[in-house]
Amino acid sequence: MTSSTQAPPPTEVLLQMISGFWLSRTIYIAAKLGLADLVKDQPRTAAELATATGTHAPSLYRILRALASVGIFTEDEQGRFVQTPVSELLRSDVPGSMRAVAMVELGQEHFPAWGNLLHSVKTGEIAFDNLFGENIWEYYAKHSDDANNFNDAMSGLTEMSNQAVLAAYDFSGIGTLVDVAGGVGGMLSAILQRYPDTRGVLFDLPHVINEAGSFFAAAGMRERVTLTSGDFFQAVPEGGDAYTMKFIIHDWDDEKSATILKNIHRAMNPGGKVLLVEMVVPARNEPHWSKFMDLNMLVMAGGRERTEAEFRALLANAGFTLTRVIQTPGPVCVIEAVQA
């Protein structure tokens, strides 16, 4: 007797893996067209959605049918497509929206660069740079729509990771907290709201810092935050009791990462600590998103995800001793290190 829960044969498993990009690109179409926004108030037929999006109704129906087969939308008996908890995350107006993430990871820059992955495997070079003739940051400087999608994607991921970090780490007792490359201040704002005795310093590039003032003003915390701009490869603000960086070190190779960390080491108050919010790659065969994000860093930026041992060595090279790796409720960890 064959169990109904028996695993599919290896051929079927591998075929599903091989064709995984079909699903990814289908999700991209849903995100790009804003389909989840269009069905948020009521179910709609493919014809109605095609009219709203300027697309070919029979072809759009085929997209929607495929998405419904994996739980992204549901088709009812009237042929209308209904929101599901998964498609809800593709709306543009919900907390933790993944719409921008889908458009960035599956759109104009990441998807073609992943097609050039073999170049990275053969040479160790960045696939994106080889394909586009410039690095990703230069590309975003020239393509404002893609850059805005990227910033929106990072904001969406920030909302999710902020709550995970706050649930896992106790920031009490930190007088001055410096957030290095902290964007417009999403994580710093969340920490300051929870810890009213802490003052913040937000440090990023000038065009980013220009937007941060209104963000903190709207949150009612402008007087508790010092905004300063610069290049973290040259220096970071002095006088912090703790320095945070979220999803920054993974953008860079060991040499550049060590430069940033050494600048922090020089700038911090005696007895200070650094807190890195990053994924930590588990050993051997354990499934973990970090192992594929590591490939994304190889393709896009030349950075990497790291194991605990690799973080320990990197921090030691910059004059720090790794003290704790704290797993959050999400995929990220808080990596705590103190001056050696």
Side-chain angles (χ1 to χ4, degrees):
M1 179 179 293
T2 301
S3 170
S4 60
T5 60
Q6 183 177 2
T11 300
E12 183 178 339
V13 171
L14 187 58
L15 185 60
Q16 289 175 346
M17 292 178 178
I18 290 170
S19 59
F21 78 96
W22 298 354
L23 173 59
S24 298
R25 287 297 282 179
T26 307
I27 293 171
Y28 169 75
I29 296 301
K32 183 71 173 178
L33 296 177
L35 298 179
D37 287 337
L38 294 172
V39 299
K40 68 179 181 180
D41 295 323
Q42 63 183 35
R44 295 184 184 274
T45 65
E48 291 171 331
L49 291 169
T51 298
T53 57
T55 55
H56 181 242
S59 298
L60 184 62
Y61 173 76
R62 293 161 73 175
I63 292 284
L64 289 160
R65 179 178 62 184
L67 289 170
S69 75
V70 294
I72 305 173
F73 306 116
T74 298
E75 184 179 5
D76 67 15
E77 295 180 355
Q78 288 76 46
R80 301 175 304 173
F81 288 89
V82 184
Q83 199 86 284
T84 66
V86 178
S87 65
E88 187 83 11
L89 291 171
L90 291 175
R91 284 175 53 182
S92 57
D93 59 349
V94 296
S97 169
M98 300 291 284
R99 183 188 178 196
V101 175
M103 289 194 290
V104 167
E105 295 296 332
L106 305 172
Q108 304 298 94
E109 61 272 27
H110 282 68
F111 193 78
W114 266 83
N116 198 35
L117 173 60
L118 185 59
H119 176 80
S120 293
V121 175
K122 285 185 172 182
T123 66
E125 298 174 355
I126 302 170
F128 180 94
D129 295 16
N130 172 260
L131 183 66
F132 284 83
E134 59 188 349
N135 67 43
I136 184 63
W137 313 115
E138 292 167 338
Y139 173 90
Y140 282 144
K142 298 175 183 176
H143 298 82
S144 59
D145 288 345
D146 293 334
N148 290 336
N149 283 338
F150 176 78
N151 291 334
D152 288 344
M154 294 303 100
S155 295
L157 293 173
T158 287
E159 289 183 20
M160 292 186 291
S161 62
N162 286 348
Q163 297 309 310
V165 169
L166 285 169
Y169 192 82
D170 183 3
F171 290 87
S172 60
I174 297 175
T176 300
L177 178 65
V178 182
D179 194 3
V180 176
V184 297
M187 183 172 74
L188 183 59
S189 171
I191 295 170
L192 295 183
Q193 286 177 345
R194 179 75 63 88
Y195 296 91
D197 294 332
T198 299
R199 290 191 58 82
V201 178
L202 182 68
F203 178 75
D204 212 307
L205 296 171
H207 72 275
V208 178
I209 290 299
N210 288 341
E211 301 179 20
S214 58
F215 176 83
F216 280 100
M221 291 186 293
R222 183 63 187 87
E223 294 182 356
R224 293 177 57 198
V225 180
T226 301
L227 304 178
T228 183
S229 63
D231 179 354
F232 56 29
F233 289 118
Q234 301 299 320
V236 300
E238 297 181 352
D241 301 306
Y243 288 72
T244 56
M245 284 191 292
K246 183 179 65 182
F247 304 147
I248 301 302
I249 290 298
H250 80 157
D251 284 335
W252 307 101
D253 61 26
D254 285 353
E255 182 180 356
K256 291 179 180 177
S257 295
T259 297
I260 301 168
L261 290 166
K262 287 174 182 177
N263 287 338
I264 290 174
H265 191 280
R266 282 191 291 268
M268 65 174 39
N269 288 336
K273 56 188 173 183
V274 63
L275 307 169
L276 306 179
V277 179
E278 298 277 359
M279 289 187 287
V280 176
V281 181
R284 297 184 176 85
N285 301 321
E286 181 180 338
H288 199 270
W289 191 43
S290 62
K291 295 180 180 181
F292 284 92
M293 178 57 78
D294 180 56
L295 295 180
N296 193 52
M297 304 316 297
L298 173 65
V299 166
M300 297 302 298
R304 63 187 306 126
E305 305 301 330
R306 294 174 171 89
T307 65
E308 180 175 339
E310 288 169 334
F311 273 116
R312 189 179 303 278
L314 176 64
L315 287 160
N317 184 34
F320 291 100
T321 297
L322 191 153
T323 50
R324 291 189 291 169
V325 175
I326 304 166
Q327 181 65 55
T328 75
V332 300
C333 297
V334 180
I335 302 153
E336 179 191 75
V338 298
Q339 289 175 318

